[in-house]
Amino acid sequence: MHIDLFLTCVNDALFPATGQATVRLLERLGHTVGFNPAQTCCGQMHLNTGYRDDALDLVRKFVRDFKDSEVVVMPSGSCAAMVRELYAEAARWAGDDELLKDVEDLAPRVFELSEFLVNKLGVTDVGAYYPHRVTYHPTCHAMRALRVGDAPLQLLRNVRGMTLVELEGANECCGFGGTFAVKNPDVSAAMLTDKARHIIDTGAEACTAGDNSCLLHIGGGLHRLRSGARTVHLAEILASTEQEVFI
């Protein structure tokens, strides 16, 4: 299968290793991966903040960039949910029937990484090796909008050398929520405190998730508490092998 990677702007700017890991993983499974260098932002931040016109420009650009793709895979539940759940709504707001048709054609071919592996490819064991104690945080968009279910956990349970420990209050939001953390800092910080405490209580060396935006927030909290625990994206664990482990 030829897979087009949508890296996301957060990963492009701050976490390029996640994109590299995603490519390495998919190629190891026998697929070819393409990267359209014209890609930018999915427009989620703009739409959530009320800048509809700016968001629509990015919706139209995404559709132009990926309309011919066999599948588009993203190492982000948040951005995948934007395309699958909100692009059609944005097109309806704009009264653009042609855009709506294009979105409805493209959206079913857009996947978050873990759901693509488990639900599309039928793969739960990717041959990964990661010799660490790890806990998993399910991100809100992946869990509630995309409904990926236990797809990430199915993949993690098959990682060799890894001890996977259950996270108390796993289904609770970490408090990031994009611009929510900026607009409601006190509430966000309180939610982060709860999440960090639960992670520390597991004794895990690392907390993993499918969205680096959430991990950025969680990682900051763990660092300020001097917990010794770190964050690592799901793709980086799944791309790790005995020959090369993403620390």
Side-chain angles (χ1 to χ4, degrees):
M1 183 178 291
H2 180 82
I3 300 161
D4 282 313
L5 173 67
F6 182 72
L7 183 57
T8 82
C9 44
V10 169
N11 289 327
D12 183 45
L14 300 175
F15 302 100
T18 296
Q20 293 166 355
T22 302
V23 172
R24 186 170 304 174
L25 170 63
L26 293 171
E27 288 182 342
R28 191 172 76 218
L29 294 175
H31 306 282
T32 59
V33 181
F35 179 81
N36 185 341
Q39 64 183 266
T40 53
C41 176
C42 70
Q44 179 183 182
M45 181 177 66
H46 308 73
L47 191 66
N48 290 347
T49 313
Y51 293 93
R52 289 187 178 182
D53 291 341
D54 293 323
L56 276 166
D57 288 341
L58 291 167
V59 170
R60 292 187 174 102
K61 185 180 189 322
F62 184 95
V63 170
R64 288 197 305 271
D65 290 343
F66 294 102
K67 64 181 180 179
D68 296 323
S69 298
E70 184 178 357
V71 291
V72 182
V73 172
M74 311 179 185
S76 167
S78 179
C79 297
M82 170 67 179
V83 176
R84 293 236 301 264
E85 300 295 320
L86 294 179
Y87 269 23
E89 189 174 343
R92 291 187 188 99
W93 286 337
D96 191 331
D97 293 338
E98 183 177 352
L99 177 61
L100 178 60
K101 182 177 180 298
D102 289 341
V103 166
E104 290 176 339
D105 177 65
L106 176 58
R109 292 180 274 130
V110 173
F111 297 91
E112 179 270 340
L113 177 63
S114 71
E115 66 168 351
F116 177 71
L117 294 171
V118 175
N119 300 335
K120 181 69 173 178
L121 298 182
V123 175
T124 57
D125 187 344
V126 298
Y129 172 79
Y130 195 76
H132 298 287
R133 183 178 175 90
V134 176
T135 193
Y136 168 69
H137 165 68
T139 63
C140 293
H141 282 100
M143 179 172 56
R144 297 182 174 91
L146 297 179
R147 298 178 178 84
V148 302
D150 68 345
L153 287 171
Q154 289 187 56
L155 293 160
L156 289 169
R157 289 179 187 127
N158 285 306
V159 175
R160 292 158 184 79
M162 190 177 79
T163 301
L164 181 63
V165 290
E166 186 175 351
L167 179 64
E168 183 182 347
N171 291 348
E172 296 174 7
C173 177
C174 71
F176 181 60
T179 53
F180 173 84
V182 178
K183 295 177 180 177
N184 303 278
D186 293 338
V187 176
S188 173
M191 296 170 74
L192 174 60
T193 298
D194 288 342
K195 182 64 65 174
R197 174 170 51 83
H198 291 318
I199 292 169
I200 293 169
D201 287 346
T202 67
E205 300 169 68
C207 174
T208 191
D211 276 272
N212 270 326
S213 52
C214 299
L215 290 175
L216 179 68
H217 188 59
I218 292 170
L222 294 173
H223 177 72
R224 285 192 294 276
L225 291 171
R226 300 181 181 181
S227 67
R230 63 183 184 278
T231 55
V232 57
H233 193 281
L234 175 67
E236 294 169 45
I237 291 178
L238 298 179
S240 294
T241 63
E242 292 191 51
Q243 289 72 41
E244 183 173 10
V245 176
F246 282 82
I247 301 300

